[in-house]
């Protein structure tokens, strides 16, 4: 996001939030506090400046998917109730006309195919890229290439372009979607098995019983 666009985005949020937010009251639509964003970014091993959010109609972020992308970027999957999937990636290396056809698309889903040549079209917003059954829109924000990809039959080109053109640092609400309370409770939990001996490293216990030959 360019500095001018970032300022404009913050002004829009401030106006939309109304006089209360302008007086300093915290609003869920305000950009997440820098210290909170930095803490959350550290949890997944990325720099806070590469965490972006998008608004894509009918899609919500899947918090289980967030994490590093490449050497120093960020990615997050956005899902819809009908199993549609879009992939947001942020690459701090940026993007140029030379890079565009050379970098592979981020695939949105296990069955996605982006193994073919990358067809690249530049416009006044960014770059539209197509490979296999996937397509992607890329816009440079503050030097980072922010891309949103999906199956060509899942999200249309205009929706990809609009969403990624308006990519922004997450608001308080968006950060809570990316890092919900259940994420903290699930992290690090182990599954307790009842078929292991209490002591030592023995094999699982398989006692004789009904339906088993002794």
């Amino acid at each position: 996001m360019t500095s001018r666009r970032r300022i404009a985005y913050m002004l829009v949020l401030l106006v939309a939030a109304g006089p209360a937010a302008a007086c300093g009251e915290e609003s869920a639509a305000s950009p997440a506090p820098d210290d909170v964003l930095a803490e959350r970014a550290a949890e997944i091993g990325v720099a806070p400046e590469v965490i972006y959010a998008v608004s894509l109609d009918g899609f919500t972020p899947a918090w289980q998917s967030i994490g590093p992308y490449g050497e120093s970027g960020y990615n997050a999957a956005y899902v819809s109730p009908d199993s549609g999937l879009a992939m947001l990636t942020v690459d701090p290396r940026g993007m140029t006309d030379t890079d565009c056809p050379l970098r592979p698309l981020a695939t949105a889903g296990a069955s996605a195919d982006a193994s073919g040549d990358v067809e690249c079209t530049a416009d006044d917003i960014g770059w539209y890229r197509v490979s296999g059954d996937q397509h992607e829109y890329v816009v440079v924000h503050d030097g980072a290439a922010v891309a949103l990809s999906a199956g060509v039959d899942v999200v249309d080109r205009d929706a990809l372009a609009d969403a990624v053109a308006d990519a922004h640092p997450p608001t308080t609400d968006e950060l809570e979607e990316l890092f919900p309370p259940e994420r903290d409770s699930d992290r690090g939990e182990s599954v307790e098995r009842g078929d292991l001996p209490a002591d030592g490293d023995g094999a699982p216990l398989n006692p004789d019983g009904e339906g088993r030959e002794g």
Side-chain angles (χ1 to χ4, degrees):
M1 180 179 289
T2 64
S3 297
R4 182 175 298 175
R5 184 185 291 274
R6 185 185 294 271
I7 292 171
Y9 170 71
M10 293 178 69
L11 288 174
V12 168
L13 289 177
L14 193 60
V15 171
C23 293
E25 293 185 12
E26 183 177 355
S27 168
S30 301
D34 289 344
D35 59 338
V36 177
L37 180 59
E39 180 181 352
R40 291 308 197 181
E43 291 179 13
I44 58 173
V46 303
E49 57 266 25
V50 300
I51 297 184
Y52 276 77
V54 295
S55 296
L56 186 62
D57 189 34
F59 287 74
T60 55
W63 61 264
Q64 301 92 334
S65 70
I66 65 173
Y69 175 73
E71 293 185 0
S72 53
Y74 165 80
N75 69 241
Y78 283 70
V79 297
S80 68
D82 60 358
S83 300
L85 178 66
M87 182 65 69
L88 174 71
T89 60
V90 182
D91 188 335
R93 295 177 299 172
M95 176 71 77
T96 66
D97 289 338
T98 301
D99 298 327
C100 188
L102 300 179
R103 293 184 189 172
L105 275 67
T107 53
S111 61
D113 178 17
S115 59
D117 292 339
V118 177
E119 299 176 12
C120 190
T121 304
D123 60 23
D124 57 351
I125 297 175
W127 294 267
Y128 176 63
R129 312 200 307 149
V130 182
S131 179
D133 60 8
Q134 301 290 293
H135 65 162
E136 175 182 87
Y137 226 98
V138 184
V139 177
V140 173
H141 293 282
D142 279 350
V146 182
L148 189 63
S149 59
V152 294
D153 59 348
V154 174
V155 182
D156 65 38
R157 174 176 175 171
D158 288 342
L160 287 179
D162 290 344
V164 77
D166 291 331
H168 52 270
T171 65
T172 298
D173 272 356
E174 288 169 333
L175 195 65
E176 289 178 356
E177 283 188 307
L178 292 169
F179 297 87
E182 58 263 34
R183 182 178 185 276
D184 293 328
S185 62
D186 287 349
R187 188 172 47 195
E189 289 187 357
S190 58
V191 177
E192 183 175 344
R193 291 182 58 177
D195 63 342
L196 295 175
D199 300 311
D201 297 322
L205 302 176
N206 294 303
D208 294 336
E210 185 177 352
R212 295 178 58 90
E213 295 183 359

